Amino acid sequence: MKKIVLFASGSGTNAENIIRYFADKPEIQISKVFTNNAQAGVIERAKRLAVPTVVFSKEELNNGKVLLQINQIHPDLIVLAGFLWKFPQEILSEYTTINIHPALLPKYGGKGMYGAKVHQAVLDNREDFTGITIHYANENYDEGAVIFQKEVSVSDCISVDEIAQRVHQLEHQYFPQVIENLLKTIV
């Protein structure tokens, strides 16, 4: 059985989508959801879907306590699904870790570029296309090797919400599939 650990900071729509996608695949288990935000919507979503959660502090992430908990699970893959903090090198060197970004990297990536901030930049710059990038996480924000990108036209969008909706559709359609395909390559 392949095991996945999810990290999320916010509402958890991607985490819920991933959990639901793998619910009827007994060969893949979502073992735990970790969050740095005690008020994050992902906690309720995970609870509703019977996936245990862990809330942790920045200190616990950086002092090895989170790594100890991950080591107890020994996941095949760590998935950052809307996780906003920089991930420690100590964990990255032990476990294959991927992230999703709501733009076509290298555009609109880096520290502070997440969620609506990315979509606002796309709107402000009158981009015709945006999309998603699924990439390996490394020691820098949004600089890991690209695994998958998918673009969508936003030339007719007049609001951040319209752009966000189109990007979320891509995330929900492709993120679980890319995870599943990647797990097939992990021995």
Side-chain angles (χ1 to χ4, degrees):
M1 174 186 299
K2 302 277 185 168
K3 292 185 260 182
I4 299 171
V5 167
L6 300 174
F7 278 74
S9 296
S11 70
T13 58
N14 271 318
E16 179 176 356
N17 186 53
I18 292 165
I19 293 166
R20 288 187 184 283
Y21 182 87
F22 290 110
D24 63 348
K25 298 178 188 293
E27 69 279 8
I28 299 171
Q29 175 190 65
I30 307 299
S31 300
K32 201 165 275 191
V33 173
F34 286 79
T35 183
N36 59 306
N37 178 357
Q39 274 71 57
V42 72
I43 296 169
E44 186 56 41
R45 290 176 191 273
K47 182 189 288 186
R48 198 171 54 244
L49 296 167
V51 176
T53 59
V54 173
V55 178
F56 61 90
S57 67
K58 188 167 262 187
E59 180 182 340
E60 291 169 320
L61 180 64
N62 293 316
N63 71 11
K65 287 187 179 179
V66 171
L67 177 57
L68 288 174
Q69 292 180 52
I70 294 170
N71 286 341
Q72 291 174 351
I73 300 163
H74 199 74
D76 297 279
L77 185 64
I78 295 175
V79 176
L80 308 180
F83 184 69
L84 301 180
W85 288 351
K86 198 173 212 182
F87 220 59
Q89 186 59 44
E90 184 180 32
I91 298 173
L92 293 171
S93 62
E94 290 287 323
Y95 295 100
T96 301
T97 305
I98 66 170
N99 185 34
I100 190 164
H101 187 75
L104 298 170
L105 292 174
K107 282 187 168 185
Y108 308 114
K111 185 175 174 69
M113 290 301 288
Y114 59 88
K117 293 179 180 186
V118 173
H119 306 316
Q120 186 65 56
V122 167
L123 185 66
D124 291 347
N125 288 302
R126 295 180 177 87
E127 296 284 356
D128 289 329
F129 293 93
T130 190
I132 61 169
T133 303
I134 300 168
H135 63 92
Y136 289 102
N138 67 14
E139 67 278 1
N140 299 312
Y141 288 107
D142 304 323
E143 290 183 12
V146 171
I147 300 166
F148 176 86
Q149 286 188 310
K150 186 71 176 177
E151 70 177 32
V152 64
S153 173
V154 291
S155 58
D156 61 335
C157 290
I158 59 170
S159 73
V160 168
D161 288 340
E162 284 180 294
I163 294 170
Q165 184 177 26
R166 290 187 189 177
V167 169
H168 285 149
Q169 287 174 344
L170 292 179
E171 290 173 343
H172 291 180
Q173 180 177 355
Y174 292 103
F175 201 12
Q177 293 173 14
V178 170
I179 292 167
E180 185 174 30
N181 290 336
L182 185 60
L183 282 172
K184 291 175 185 174
T185 69
I186 297 174
V187 181

